[in-house]
Amino acid sequence: MANKTNANIGFEKQLWDAACVLWGHIPAAEYRKVIIGLIFLRYISAAFEKRYQELVEEGDGFEDDIDAYTMENVFFVPEEARWSTIAAAAHTPEIGTVIDNAMRAIEKDNKVLKNVLPKNYASPDLDKRVLGEVVDIFTNNIDMSDTEASEDLLGRTYEYCIAQFAEKEGVGGGEFYTPSSVVKTLVSILRPFENCRVYDCCCGSGGMFVQSAKFIEAHSGNRGSISVYGQEANADTWKMAKINMAIRGIDADFGPYQADTFTNDLHPTLKADFILANPPFNYHPWNQEKLLDDVRWKYGLPPAGNANYAWIQHMIHHLAPNGKIGLVLANGALSTQTSGEGEIRKNIIEDDLVEGIIAMPTQLFYSVTIPVTLWFISKNKQQKGKTLFIDARNMGHMVDRKHRDFADKDIQELADTFEAFQNGELKDKRGFCAVASLEDIAKQDYILTPGRYVGIKEQEDDGEPFEEKMGRLTSELSDMFAKSHELEDEIRRKLGAIGYEL
């Protein structure tokens, strides 16, 4: 567990373990808000202090000018909200009130965070002595001397903590966190570019946007040049996404409030260049009865009992003419024929929108163990009339007994395979990847399960003649049967000795 992976990083785990002194001293539902709020407060205060010192040294008297901070993408932090003020009050009975007041002061000066930050620190349910200990941890355990490194440090810590909350909250945790390796795979294949519009219709805590911005920055772009649009139905998760974007310095439009995407689309006219999403699997009920004649259902009315094909069609509706979608769905959507879903899938395939399907391994998610698939849908495919199928179920490595992760080389292999397909250079690899035509898919009843197309991996010939191998194996099996009978007789004797006959 000491090695750095997408699922486990040393410093973040240390901070998480230290912050867990709060565990048991506050209701679980409030815990993540308390920790996330402190991470945010610590980061923006450190960034402010660094900028403040720069302005003081410049000597032009702009150290109290809000514009001098916002122009550098730094939050202006009023004196009562600065970490020095909070740290000084750590061991006083008023520490909770001091932190709540700090949050209110930041919201007042930064309208984008209005009614977003947690203000539950003065709650009588929260032991103020323990809260003071956590403030000390945040004061002493984080080195903020390098702003850029600190920004990444805090962002990664935030991301790690969200993953831990997802694990602790079980099935409910999946609503706000998609594992980093899954998001990185989507982004590496879609390759978002500068000045593009990225949309997530069920954005959770905003991880898709973080990875998209990182990708653009890593490829010599400016992460600030991405236009981000999102929507989230859960109030707490919507707030978490707003905080996540603020920590990362990403300007995002998540609408003025949380809202259900199907019944209250907050971006009705948006046409996005890239859509990345991990919608809730097999979601229902989704208010189908209120949306029977909705313009989004171009390929057929999705059934009331499952929103999978409602999500897909909603995303297609919001695509720009050359737009691309990368989304995560439960495997059932590949083959279902229930309540017209098969016909909807057929219509989408016949419209030549499905560019690729990747079957993913189990145990990638913190909250669900069911196998999932990545869908890639494109309005203007490079390889017309063709679809790439990849079976990645055996890829990755186990981080611990419950969690699987992809190494960077795994993600790169998938991205390279996709790129080779798009360039018309990919050769089928039995058991791993295959390119299928629309006619091939029609012959399979429009079922998109990758295994139907890639086949089973060829076994290497070990050089042992067939007759010899069968003779050896049947001999070994005979020995096993004999041993089985011996064990059976032994069990019968021992049961008989204590008065039980079989």
Side-chain angles (χ1 to χ4, degrees), residues 2 4 47 58 61 124 152 156 164 183-184 222 245 257 304 347 353 401 419 422 454 461 490 494:
K4 177 176 174 178
E58 288 172 8
D152 188 47
R156 281 179 15 226
Q164 298 308 304
V183 183
K184 284 182 178 179
N222 176 6
M245 296 302 99
Y257 43 75
N347 293 337
L353 291 173
R401 287 183 298 173
E419 186 173 10
Q422 291 172 328
V454 306
D461 185 358
E490 179 73 12
K494 290 193 173 180

Side-chain angles (χ1 to χ4, degrees), residues 432-473:
F432 177 65
C433 66
V435 178
S437 66
L438 293 180
E439 293 75 19
D440 296 330
I441 298 173
K443 288 176 184 175
Q444 293 290 340
D445 251 353
Y446 297 94
I447 289 171
L448 295 175
T449 306
R452 291 198 173 210
Y453 303 92
V454 306
I456 299 171
K457 184 178 181 181
E458 293 180 358
Q459 299 297 314
E460 290 186 17
D461 185 358
D462 58 10
E464 184 178 11
F466 179 76
E467 292 297 333
E468 290 182 19
K469 181 180 288 189
M470 286 303 295
R472 176 177 58 79
L473 291 175

